[in-house]
Amino acid sequence: MDVVDNSQPEPKQEHPLETLNPATEQALLSGNPASSQKPCYKIRYTLSGHTRAVSALKFSPNGAILASSGADKLVKLWDTNNGEIIRTFEGHKEGISDIAWSSDGDYLASASDDKTIIIWSLELGTAARTLIGHTNFVFCLNYNPNSNLLVSGGYDETVRVWDVARGKSLKVLPAHSDPVTAVSFNHDGTLIVSCAMDGLIRIWDADSGQCLKTLVDDDNPIWFISSIILCFSTVLLIAVTDEVPMSSFRRIRNLCSHQLRIPQFAFGTIILRVV
């Protein structure tokens, strides 16, 4: 007796980026979003408290708290429901350039011109750990998805990977020839992306510290990128830059011999196809 197996194979779990229809992906890459409808924003709160320039604003993972940092050496936490100040962290000796939340929202890291990184505990309301290693201003930082590692970049032209629990530097990458302006992990923490005032964007293996790709436009270097994100399955990379003439980018050359395009997506934002 023949037995017929009518069971259906389990559907393949597609990555979110892979499920984009061709028209949507083309719209992103060409710089023409599918919808031209303009958002209508209204001011909900005006938060006052910093006495000098505000350098960074980051929502907590659950959106309940907004963290801010500034040149006044302070980190402030704000209640997003009512706009009230929750707490002020004091401890840095110089201004703060960047802040980053842990994935569980229990900790907040701050990068300062005093060459240190302080990890603040929201439960304790104080500094849990201070990371020392950079030899110049610490300009940018980000947690990996598990929040057991922290990546930072600074004016000493290096990218450093930190063991958060031990407060130790695991790797020092001689990443760039100018100050590092932005660093980030990809979605699973296996890659690190960095960029600097030398006009280069580099992608690193998080475990080995090996540089996997370098993105550069020889004719029109990107002078300053304030933030950078490796999206989804690392097919796209989003960079936010202060440079205005984005449409003047004619050629991106990858040192691994892949040709990449940098279309204009929005003012000050570019999208790179890296694979």
Side-chain angles (χ1 to χ4, degrees):
M1 183 178 187
D2 295 333
V3 178
V4 178
D5 184 3
N6 291 321
S7 62
Q8 297 294 323
E10 293 185 5
K12 177 184 176 182
Q13 293 294 322
E14 293 184 321
H15 194 277
L17 184 61
E18 295 168 353
T19 62
L20 287 178
N21 62 62
T24 303
E25 183 177 352
Q26 181 59 35
L28 285 172
L29 291 173
S30 64
N32 297 311
S35 173
S36 60
Q37 183 179 0
K38 294 183 179 180
C40 182
Y41 297 119
K42 295 181 180 179
I43 295 177
R44 184 172 181 180
Y45 303 116
T46 298
L47 310 179
S48 300
H50 286 283
T51 58
R52 297 187 65 184
V54 176
S55 58
L57 295 167
K58 299 287 177 67
F59 283 102
S60 61
N62 64 5
I65 301 174
L66 176 67
S68 63
S69 62
D72 56 6
K73 313 172 191 177
L74 303 177
V75 174
K76 291 182 178 290
L77 304 182
W78 309 84
D79 189 319
T80 57
N81 290 318
N82 55 31
E84 297 295 325
I85 184 74
I86 298 173
R87 178 174 288 126
T88 297
F89 289 128
E90 299 182 51
H92 281 295
K93 298 178 181 178
E94 299 292 343
I96 300 167
S97 295
D98 198 13
I99 48 180
W101 287 94
S102 62
S103 58
D104 57 11
D106 290 341
Y107 295 93
L108 182 72
S110 56
S112 172
D113 287 358
D114 64 12
K115 308 176 188 178
T116 70
I117 297 167
I118 295 181
I119 299 176
W120 307 92
S121 168
L122 269 67
E123 180 181 1
L124 299 177
T126 187
R129 198 171 298 279
T130 300
L131 310 181
I132 299 173
H134 279 283
T135 59
N136 208 327
F137 307 151
V138 190
F139 196 77
C140 50
L141 77 172
N142 257 310
Y143 279 96
N144 72 337
N146 293 329
S147 296
N148 62 318
L149 298 179
L150 189 75
V151 62
S152 62
Y155 271 65
D156 57 7
E157 303 172 4
T158 68
V159 170
R160 292 175 182 259
V161 181
W162 305 85
D163 181 317
V164 174
R166 295 189 298 156
K168 301 293 183 182
S169 177
L170 297 178
K171 295 179 183 67
V172 181
L173 309 179
H176 296 273
S177 58
D178 275 306
V180 179
T181 56
V183 290
S184 183
F185 283 93
N186 70 330
H187 71 285
D188 61 6
T190 58
L191 299 176
I192 294 170
V193 60
S194 66
C195 54
M197 292 182 183
D198 58 10
L200 303 181
I201 298 174
R202 287 192 164 134
I203 299 175
W204 309 82
D205 183 284
D207 288 332
S208 67
Q210 178 184 0
C211 182
L212 303 178
K213 292 186 179 182
T214 299
L215 314 181
V216 59
D217 180 5
D218 295 331
D219 294 337
N220 297 281
I222 306 170
W223 182 75
F224 187 89
I225 297 177
S226 58
S227 60
I228 195 163
I229 302 170
L230 278 166
C231 299
F232 309 119
S233 56
T234 323
V235 174
L236 298 181
L237 181 150
I238 296 178
V240 179
T241 174
D242 290 347
E243 287 287 284
V244 176
M246 218 62 62
S247 59
S248 67
F249 279 76
R250 296 190 297 273
R251 185 178 76 252
I252 285 292
R253 184 176 300 149
N254 184 339
L255 296 189
C256 293
S257 300
H258 295 289
Q259 288 298 114
L260 307 179
R261 292 184 300 156
I262 297 192
Q264 183 172 353
F265 176 69
F267 181 80
T269 303
I270 54 178
I271 294 181
L272 313 179
R273 175 180 286 280
V274 296
V275 296

